[in-house]
Amino acid sequence: MAQAQRTPVTATVPNDLEPFWLPFTANRAFKRRPRLIAGAKDMHYITPEGRKLIDGSAGLWCTNAGHNRDPIVAAIQAQAAELDFAPTFQFAHPKAFELAARVASLAPGDLDHVFFCNSGSEAVDTALKIALAFHKVRGEGSRVRLIGRERGYHGVGFGGVAVGGIVSNRKQFGTLLVGVDHLPSTYNREQQAFSVGEPEWGAHLADALDGLVTLHDASTIAAVIVEPMSGSSGVLPPPKGYLERLRAICDKHGILLIFDEVITGYGRLGYAFAAERYGVQPDMITFAKGVTSGSVPMGGVVVRKGVYDAFMQGPEHVIELFHGYTYSAHPLACAAGLATLDLYRAEGLFERARKLEKPWAEAAMGLKGLPNVLDIRAVGLTAGIDLASKPDGVGKRGLEALELGFFEHDVMFRAVGDTIALSPPLIVTESQIGELFGKVAKIIKAVA
Ligand SMILES: Cc1ncc(COP(=O)(O)O)c(C=O)c1O
């Protein structure tokens, strides 16, 4: 294995912050007091001034193997020197097949074919398009309806936003896709507050799918898409039995079930995919983030054999699915993906996450009783801590907590509105778990 070449952190604070329009960011507030990151290693980020911050969010739920790990860095460097780019429209390169086989081997049952793209949003749009096309090639072209869920997050493509259920992500963008409906959210604070892991209450909420079938008729419904554990809307684990029930209803009506595992994939819940944790096999799994541990953009969809096979018919010179991205299976991403999956296996990181789940949840629940803490949810190596909103605005307390963490407590985490969301790299140690929650406790008190 080639050794990664290390460059010291050289970045400085830019003179002009104006031209960059930051995504999902309060730009004016940010530019008044920018939170800049210039380097990273393992569990830490480094600011341009050289300050070390513990990473409580694996970047953006993605650096599951930790930052700048040598084998991944070396694989990317070697690949860049050998093959920068090769098209995967009518051509291909060997690592694309290798990585597809490795990803498929991690997915349960006959989920055995992989379509690559570059992000979670693209993965979701790809899965939705495959669902529509699957029914069409089988002569059931009337199945055009897509079902998502309230509070669901499926990225920012038109398809993903349409099936998504976060109001602020939807309301600026017109009518989105037509023919979309939503299941109710699985979260109910009165019934579930301070549950560790999957809440006992709520499996029956899956039955709403039967209601949608009664309303629209099964013959019009192509697919249901849900996150097994909803991350971006604040860490919402599925109620016990919910996913099983959803699977059974989909089976009864010939509806495809898609698990959006962009966050839950690659060890976040202690398994390669949440489908394995919950013992429920979907028809497609979307993935991104952890597949390369965030090092190079990549996403994809794993589909069941029956879904792939349905397309493999007709004259052989004809393209079976008119879909793809210039950078599908980009060589750098494939090299990074292979090195990442090797690292997960070599270090047993999925098992590690499973073992740490208990001390993690105990540490998270230790925050109960602090000022403004309305609920805490912990599952796998994630936690969502709901804080009461300030009277003068939703999201203000969350942003204050984030700023305080970054500037004064040397910790980085996500703030989703007034929910603090934690999801550290899976290499986190028990003492770092203590450190992380210790800092969060101080911050919660400080923003009271
Ligand atoms: C479940 C889920 N799907 C899709 C996405 C979108 O991924 P990306 O930001 O890579 O497009 C995310 C991002 O957090 C996600 O959590």
Side-chain angles (χ1 to χ4, degrees), residues 64 106-108 111 149 198 226-231 236-238 243-244 257-282 284-287 302 350 354 357 379-382:
N64 290 4
L106 292 175
L111 282 152
R149 192 169 61 191
E198 293 75 13
V226 293
E227 303 154 272
M229 183 279 299
S230 203
L236 311 177
L243 295 171
E244 290 89 321
L257 178 61
I258 305 166
F259 278 0
D260 185 350
E261 297 231 28
V262 166
I263 281 179
T264 54
Y266 304 103
R268 183 51 57 199
L269 297 190
Y271 296 83
F273 291 106
E276 188 184 342
R277 176 179 173 114
Y278 296 116
V280 176
Q281 192 181 341
M284 292 187 241
I285 288 178
T286 57
F287 66 87
V302 199
F350 304 164
R354 213 180 308 161
E357 177 160 353
V379 64
L381 279 188
T382 66

Side-chain angles (χ1 to χ4, degrees), residues 23-67:
F24 277 120
T25 299
N27 270 257
R28 286 159 301 158
F30 180 94
K31 287 171 187 177
R32 266 199 298 279
R33 205 180 177 202
R35 298 177 288 278
L36 293 176
I37 295 163
K41 185 67 191 145
D42 298 334
M43 276 297 298
H44 293 92
Y45 274 123
I46 304 156
T47 67
E49 309 80 44
R51 235 168 11 94
K52 249 176 103 182
L53 279 73
I54 188 164
D55 179 5
S57 55
L60 212 39
W61 317 83
C62 51
T63 56
N64 290 4
H67 291 279

Side-chain angles (χ1 to χ4, degrees), residues 61 119-121 124 153-155 227 232 260 262-263 288-289:
W61 317 83
S119 67
S121 300
V124 166
Y153 182 67
H154 301 291
E227 303 154 272
S232 298
D260 185 350
V262 166
I263 281 179
K289 300 191 188 260

Side-chain angles (χ1 to χ4, degrees), residues 59-416:
L60 212 39
W61 317 83
C62 51
T63 56
N64 290 4
H67 291 279
N68 288 54
R69 298 297 309 275
D70 280 349
I72 302 175
V73 175
I76 296 168
Q77 287 173 338
Q79 186 61 46
E82 187 175 313
L83 175 67
D84 53 355
F85 175 79
T88 49
F89 297 6
Q90 309 287 27
F91 301 91
H93 62 92
K95 286 199 174 74
F97 299 91
E98 234 184 291
L99 184 62
R102 291 286 299 280
V103 169
S105 73
L106 292 175
D110 62 352
L111 282 152
D112 58 7
H113 284 78
V114 181
F115 195 103
F116 286 115
C117 52
N118 311 288
S119 67
S121 300
E122 289 180 358
V124 166
D125 279 11
T126 298
L128 298 177
K129 287 175 78 176
I130 290 175
L132 295 172
F134 166 77
H135 291 298
K136 182 130 176 80
V137 297
R138 288 165 53 257
E140 281 199 82
S142 68
R143 288 188 180 263
V144 294
R145 227 173 258 288
L146 300 166
I147 311 284
R149 192 169 61 191
E150 289 168 8
R151 291 193 71 167
Y153 182 67
H154 301 291
V156 294
F158 271 100
V161 174
V163 292
I166 298 178
V167 181
S168 46
N169 292 355
R170 298 168 56 85
K171 67 183 182 192
Q172 289 183 314
F173 307 111
T175 54
L176 305 170
L177 290 189
V178 293
V180 170
D181 216 331
H182 291 78
L183 296 166
S185 163
T186 58
Y187 181 63
N188 180 314
R189 187 174 290 152
E190 257 176 47
Q191 300 289 344
Q192 299 169 339
F194 301 101
S195 300
V196 174
E198 293 75 13
E200 298 290 337
W201 183 94
H204 66 280
L205 294 168
D207 297 345
L209 182 56
D210 262 330
L212 292 179
V213 169
T214 306
L215 177 67
H216 299 298
D217 197 73
S219 66
T220 71
I221 302 177
V224 172
I225 182 166
V226 293
E227 303 154 272
M229 183 279 299
S230 203
S232 298
S233 64
V235 180
L236 311 177
K240 283 184 186 148
Y242 174 89
L243 295 171
E244 290 89 321
R245 221 138 134 178
L246 214 49
R247 175 73 271 180
I249 301 170
C250 285
D251 283 345
K252 191 166 67 176
H253 299 295
I255 299 167
L256 293 175
L257 178 61
I258 305 166
F259 278 0
D260 185 350
E261 297 231 28
V262 166
I263 281 179
T264 54
Y266 304 103
R268 183 51 57 199
L269 297 190
Y271 296 83
F273 291 106
E276 188 184 342
R277 176 179 173 114
Y278 296 116
V280 176
Q281 192 181 341
D283 299 297
M284 292 187 241
I285 288 178
T286 57
F287 66 87
K289 300 191 188 260
V291 66
T292 61
S293 193
S295 61
V296 180
M298 171 168 256
V301 185
V302 199
V303 307
R304 291 179 79 168
K305 181 172 168 25
V307 172
Y308 178 79
D309 286 349
F311 287 89
M312 300 303 132
Q313 51 173 324
E316 287 201 3
H317 72 282
V318 175
I319 291 168
E320 295 99 355
L321 180 69
F322 283 84
H323 179 70
Y325 302 89
T326 297
Y327 300 124
S328 283
H330 191 284
L332 289 191
C334 290
L338 287 166
T340 301
L341 298 189
D342 283 346
L343 200 52
Y344 289 147
R345 186 163 59 192
E347 297 187 350
L349 290 183
F350 304 164
E351 297 76 15
R352 180 186 173 79
R354 213 180 308 161
K355 282 201 196 102
L356 286 174
E357 177 160 353
K358 197 161 175 275
W360 170 264
E362 280 167 9
M365 291 300 160
L367 304 180
K368 189 175 175 182
L370 291 185
N372 299 305
V373 173
L374 301 177
D375 187 17
I376 299 170
R377 300 167 293 280
V379 64
L381 279 188
T382 66
I385 303 144
D386 291 348
L387 301 179
S389 299
K390 288 196 150 186
D392 55 342
V394 173
K396 268 191 132 181
R397 200 187 304 276
L399 184 58
E400 273 176 32
L402 179 125
E403 288 191 321
L404 212 54
F406 187 90
F407 292 112
E408 291 181 30
H409 294 272
D410 295 338
V411 57
M412 201 192 101
F413 50 72
R414 288 277 298 145
V416 190

